[in-house]
Amino acid sequence: MKSVIRKGYLGAALALASFGASAIDANLGMLTSAGTSFGNTFYSATPGFTDYYTFSIGGTGTVSGTTTDGSLLNAMLSFDKDVVLTSLVLTNTTYSKLYDYDLNIPLDGSINTFSFNGLNAGTYKLSVMGFVTPGDNASASYAGTIRTTASVASPAPEPADLALTMMGLAGVGVLLRRSRKAA
């Protein structure tokens, strides 16, 4: 019985810890050159978090983007809660292959630009790591945009398009048949 209670307490503690960290595991879908937004909002300080964003690209190309977070110095001086990003890591979805990483994220709150070059068509996972400083304000957040230069394969035709094409070909066939009978 004591073992069950201990496991229950351990499970509750892990659940509360993960709730406080507000980790995200989101699918961004197929990236385009227009860009896709991502980000997270935190309501409590945390010594570290990792958010995961899965995405696909349709061809060979580059994945790039920007992230914005707060200034570590301003957060410390003003006692405001703030998100500080420490790294971006690009892997495959099983984490068995590391493609690239960005450890040069500015701590002064300026926009970070990242780029992962020479990627093939496929599915990737971007891990965003950082921490949230303690502070007086209710929440803190970071935001980003990710895009690709890879060309996306053209989609399959819609059933309505196929039906319209078939009707047009049938109409041409009927006209040819009538013109042969008239001759």
Side-chain angles (χ1 to χ4, degrees):
M1 181 68 168
K2 288 182 182 181
S3 174
V4 171
I5 293 173
R6 283 185 191 149
K7 288 180 183 176
Y9 282 132
L10 178 62
L14 288 173
L16 287 173
S18 66
F19 177 73
S22 302
I24 287 180
D25 193 350
N27 189 339
L28 301 177
M30 182 71 72
L31 294 185
T32 65
S33 60
T36 302
S37 297
F38 63 93
N40 196 356
T41 299
F42 299 88
Y43 297 97
S44 61
T46 178
F49 69 86
T50 304
D51 289 343
Y52 302 99
Y53 299 97
T54 305
F55 62 87
S56 299
I57 59 174
T60 303
T62 297
V63 170
S64 61
T66 59
T67 58
T68 47
D69 61 345
S71 165
L72 179 59
L73 183 60
N74 287 347
M76 291 170 51
L77 293 176
S78 64
F79 302 106
D80 284 340
K81 184 181 289 123
D82 209 346
V83 174
V84 178
L85 298 182
T86 56
S87 63
L88 303 172
V89 179
L90 185 67
T91 63
N92 62 359
T93 56
T94 61
Y95 309 106
S96 61
K97 183 170 183 181
L98 171 68
Y99 291 102
D100 208 351
Y101 54 89
D102 179 7
L103 302 176
N104 298 318
I105 300 173
L107 297 176
D108 63 359
S110 59
I111 294 176
N112 176 52
T113 304
F114 63 90
S115 182
F116 304 118
N117 301 312
L119 300 175
N120 293 321
T123 304
Y124 298 88
K125 189 163 281 222
L126 178 68
S127 302
V128 178
M129 293 172 243
F131 61 93
V132 182
T133 62
D136 296 331
N137 51 343
S139 66
S141 62
Y142 73 88
T145 302
I146 188 168
R147 65 187 52 83
T148 186
T149 61
S151 60
V152 178
S154 62
E158 294 290 326
D161 293 339
L162 290 175
L164 188 58
T165 301
M166 295 308 238
M167 285 180 13
L169 288 174
V172 169
V174 168
L175 289 176
L176 285 175
R177 190 170 183 183
R178 283 186 182 174
S179 67
R180 285 187 187 158
K181 282 185 180 180

